[in-house]
Amino acid sequence: MNSQSFYWMSFSALDAQTRRLCGDWVKHVCQEQQKIVLMVTHEAMDAREWADQTLWVQPLQSTDV
C-alpha cells in the first residue's frame, strides 16, 4: 500500500470466501501499518470478525402515524 490516507474498497460483489480473505488481508495490513479503518457492512459476522470496535446503526422509528 502507498501513503494515501483514504481508500475505497467494495467487497459487496465478492463471494463469501473471497470477501473473508480480503477482509482478513485488510485487517492484517492495517494492524501491521498501524492504520485505522472504517468498514461499513450489512453483515454482522464481518463486523465481529474484523473489528476490534463496532458501532451498530439502526433506522429511527417514525413517530408519524
Side-chain angles (χ1 to χ4, degrees):
M1 295 182 120
N2 60 31
S3 63
Q4 282 183 300
S5 59
F6 179 80
Y7 293 94
W8 173 261
M9 295 182 204
S10 176
F11 295 173
S12 62
L14 302 176
D15 62 89
Q17 182 179 3
T18 305
R19 186 176 68 243
R20 179 165 293 143
L21 289 171
C22 289
D24 291 345
W25 175 79
V26 169
K27 183 177 180 177
H28 171 76
V29 169
C30 291
Q31 286 174 338
E32 188 177 85
Q33 295 184 11
Q34 298 181 342
K35 300 289 182 182
I36 295 172
V37 175
L38 171 64
M39 296 182 87
V40 178
T41 182
H42 297 280
E43 299 291 332
M45 188 172 77
D46 291 349
R48 283 191 299 269
E49 217 169 285
W50 298 328
D52 54 6
Q53 296 181 23
T54 55
L55 172 66
W56 299 94
V57 180
Q58 296 180 7
L60 292 174
Q61 299 272 334
S62 176
T63 57
D64 297 331
V65 179

